[in-house]
């Protein structure tokens, strides 16, 4: 389900996520929604890797086939390896994961933004900063604002 861009100058912004799950309670509920985003051309999955960090800190990579039960759609992403993630990236990702947890490492292109990003690049623009605000931080900020009013 991954496609190689014909020209990286025409690609959208590329992001990554590391999402941690309780190992024993991973429902797979979100994966069909990821499949839907890909099917609608909103994102393109470049890499999807899953790792488990044991209580003793040992890290094991999991094959998507091991997690796919036919209901999640994960099997579509088996082999989604672009080469963007190296061994050092996976070591760093594992450091972000708590022991006893499982994590998905997702690298994806924001296809929806490709025309905008391409036009900016043609005009000589370049991204100089970016970021993401976790929903939990937004909720905490709004809650703090309400208590001061």
């Amino acid at each position: 389900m991954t496609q190689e861009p014909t020209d990286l100058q025409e690609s959208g912004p590329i992001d990554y996520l590391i999402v941690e799950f309780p190992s024993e309670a991973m429902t797979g509920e979100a994966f069909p929604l990821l499949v839907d985003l890909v099917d609608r051309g909103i994102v393109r999955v470049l890499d999807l890797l899953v790792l488990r960090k044991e209580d003793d800190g040992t890290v094991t990579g999991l094959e998507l086939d091991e997690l796919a039960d036919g209901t999640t759609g994960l099997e579509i992403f088996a082999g989604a390896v672009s080469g963007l993630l190296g061994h050092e990236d996976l070591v760093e990702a594992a450091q972000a994961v708590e022991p006893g947890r499982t994590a998905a490492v997702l690298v994806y292109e924001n296809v929806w933004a490709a025309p905008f990003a391409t036009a900016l690049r043609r005009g000589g623009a370049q991204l100089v900063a970016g970021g993401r605000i976790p929903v939990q931080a937004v909720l905490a900020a709004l809650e703090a604002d309400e208590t001061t009013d």
Side-chain angles (χ1 to χ4, degrees):
M1 177 142 272
T2 62
Q3 303 169 10
E4 294 304 316
T6 55
D7 183 359
L8 285 177
Q9 288 297 325
E10 295 179 12
S11 70
I14 296 173
D15 288 327
Y16 75 93
L17 299 172
I18 303 169
V19 182
E20 181 182 87
F21 306 91
S23 292
E24 68 285 345
M26 202 168 138
T27 66
E29 179 182 351
F31 294 117
L33 299 171
L34 176 61
V35 172
D36 181 57
L37 291 172
V38 171
D39 286 345
R40 291 190 293 144
I42 295 170
V43 300
R44 178 172 39 158
V45 172
L46 301 174
D47 291 282
L48 179 58
L49 306 168
V50 178
L51 58 91
R52 179 174 292 136
K53 189 170 189 178
E54 304 298 340
D55 290 329
D56 67 0
T58 304
V59 177
T60 306
L62 301 174
E63 295 294 326
L64 293 180
D65 301 3
E66 295 175 53
L67 301 172
D69 64 2
T71 63
T72 62
L74 274 179
E75 56 279 354
I76 291 174
F77 301 112
V81 179
S82 69
L84 290 173
L85 290 177
H87 178 73
E88 290 177 10
D89 299 313
L90 298 177
V91 168
E92 187 175 335
Q95 290 175 356
V97 178
E98 292 293 321
R101 309 283 274 187
T102 298
V105 181
L106 173 65
V107 178
Y108 62 96
E109 176 192 356
N110 291 284
V111 177
W112 62 269
F116 176 64
T118 300
L120 287 172
R121 285 190 291 268
R122 275 196 305 265
Q126 65 181 358
L127 181 64
V128 295
R132 178 161 283 130
I133 303 170
V135 170
Q136 297 87 338
V138 172
L139 292 173
L142 292 173
E143 185 176 300
D145 188 47
E146 286 178 6
T147 60
T148 59
D149 287 340

